[in-house]
Amino acid sequence: SALNGGSPGKLNSTTWSGATDSDWNTSSNWSNGIPVATSDLLIPASLTNYPSASGAVTVNSVTINSGASLIAQGTFTGSVTYNRNIPTTKWYFISSPVEGQDIDAFVAAEGLASGTTGNNVGLSDYNNATPGWEYYQNGASGTGNFTSGVGRSIKLTSTGDVSFTGTINTSDVTVAMTSNSN
């Protein structure tokens, strides 16, 4: 608590341990009891059990570390940050695991590699009509949000985590597929 030297903004923080099972509503799976609407949560990696919420959930925020998971089988309200480790500076395929992540904000925060020509940076998608890779341009604005289920390639300047922040989509996502790449 804040009275014992803790941060007043984190009075409702709790960390998933999965000590008992994967049931979201089992108190012994959390460091500070079952989360409430004002809770800030952490789901760390390298555990045996990860949370599965079968009903509606409302929290303030959730941080999911690279290698961890969260299954939401009902509505899930609250900001979610998903960290994904990129272990080399090679190209990787990614898709945003959340809705509402602004592409321009992502590019500004994530240390993407610079291209060898023009203003290209290490984020691109494949255009089947051209066909070819289309690179995000340094300094672009008004690009919009990542589209759920649509793949992109990413290359970082140095190894580390990239973070996607938004909300969990608990419905099916349909993406039109054509030949070549998505």
Side-chain angles (χ1 to χ4, degrees), residues 3 18-19 22 35 44 58 86-88 111 128 160 174 182:
L3 296 175
S22 61
T58 299
I86 307 292
T88 72
N128 285 308
T174 302
N182 175 31

Side-chain angles (χ1 to χ4, degrees), residues 72-150:
Q73 298 174 6
T75 59
F76 196 98
T77 305
S79 175
V80 175
T81 299
Y82 180 80
N83 296 311
R84 165 72 160 86
N85 185 264
I86 307 292
T88 72
T89 57
K90 296 179 181 179
W91 285 98
Y92 284 81
F93 290 114
I94 62 163
S95 179
S96 178
V98 298
E99 288 186 340
Q101 172 64 65
D102 180 76
I103 296 171
D104 300 329
F106 179 85
V107 168
E110 298 305 333
L112 301 179
S114 296
T116 55
T117 58
N119 287 322
N120 293 349
V121 295
L123 181 68
S124 64
D125 59 338
Y126 193 84
N127 183 335
N128 285 308
T130 310
W133 290 100
E134 293 181 349
Y135 296 90
Y136 182 90
Q137 298 298 297
N138 190 28
S141 64
T143 307
N145 295 335
F146 284 97
T147 302
S148 293
V150 173

Side-chain angles (χ1 to χ4, degrees), residues 56-80:
V57 170
T58 299
V59 296
N60 184 51
S61 69
V62 180
T63 299
I64 304 170
N65 283 347
S66 187
S69 72
L70 165 63
I71 297 173
Q73 298 174 6
T75 59
F76 196 98
T77 305
S79 175
V80 175

